[in-house]
Amino acid sequence: MTDPTPYLHFAGTAREALTSYGEVFGCAVQLHTFAEFNRSDGPVDAIAHGYLIDGPVALFAADVAGDEPAFRCEGMMLALLGTAPPATLRKWFSGLSEGGRVLDDLQTRPWGASDGQVIDRYGLHWLVGFEVEDGD
């Protein structure tokens, strides 16, 4: 069984968003334009389908066309809990925070684990955290 993969529809920022996520997570990005897919329902350079390649996070995205609603995130977050070493998770939190809004700083909690929440500049709500490790 494969994990579900979010597929986001952006209002003209799919290229920028996926490129940014590729930089944050250190992975490649594959982008296909409306022109490549022979679509005439939007700008030829709009993204018809894009995704992150061989990275720690799976994510698909496209630009909306016509009256399609753009992505909005309410009542859901993407959790990156213990998915990488603490130093990497701190780096991801910092990268996701750039241009976004930190809801809860990445910090050590009374029970010993560390976590924090950020809504990135594209509207995705992230929960980033890890358990305490020796020497950390």
Side-chain angles (χ1 to χ4, degrees):
M1 179 182 217
T2 357
D3 294 330
T5 302
Y7 201 121
L8 309 172
H9 288 153
F10 290 103
T13 59
R15 177 185 308 274
E16 179 185 327
L18 284 170
T19 300
S20 177
Y21 293 134
E23 291 169 1
V24 167
F25 298 116
C27 61
V29 176
Q30 181 72 48
L31 301 171
H32 299 283
T33 64
F34 276 38
E36 288 177 78
F37 280 23
N38 295 318
R39 288 183 57 179
S40 59
D41 55 337
V44 294
D45 62 341
I47 300 304
H49 178 65
Y51 52 95
L52 303 180
I53 299 172
D54 296 328
V57 172
L59 192 63
F60 296 114
D63 287 317
V64 296
D67 293 335
E68 293 176 337
F71 162 76
R72 274 189 20 214
C73 185
E74 294 179 1
M76 185 190 98
M77 62 182 122
L78 299 177
L80 297 172
L81 297 172
T83 56
T88 300
L89 287 160
R90 283 189 189 96
K91 180 180 169 194
W92 292 351
F93 188 87
S94 177
L96 293 167
S97 298
E98 289 179 22
R101 181 168 51 104
V102 174
L103 302 175
D104 193 15
D105 275 328
L106 183 55
Q107 60 190 291
T108 304
R109 303 299 177 177
W111 55 91
S114 294
D115 67 42
Q117 295 181 41
V118 60
I119 296 176
D120 69 32
R121 66 180 136 181
Y122 305 103
L124 273 174
H125 186 165
W126 299 89
L127 171 63
V128 179
F130 50 88
E131 296 292 325
V132 176
E133 292 187 1
D134 292 334
D136 188 45

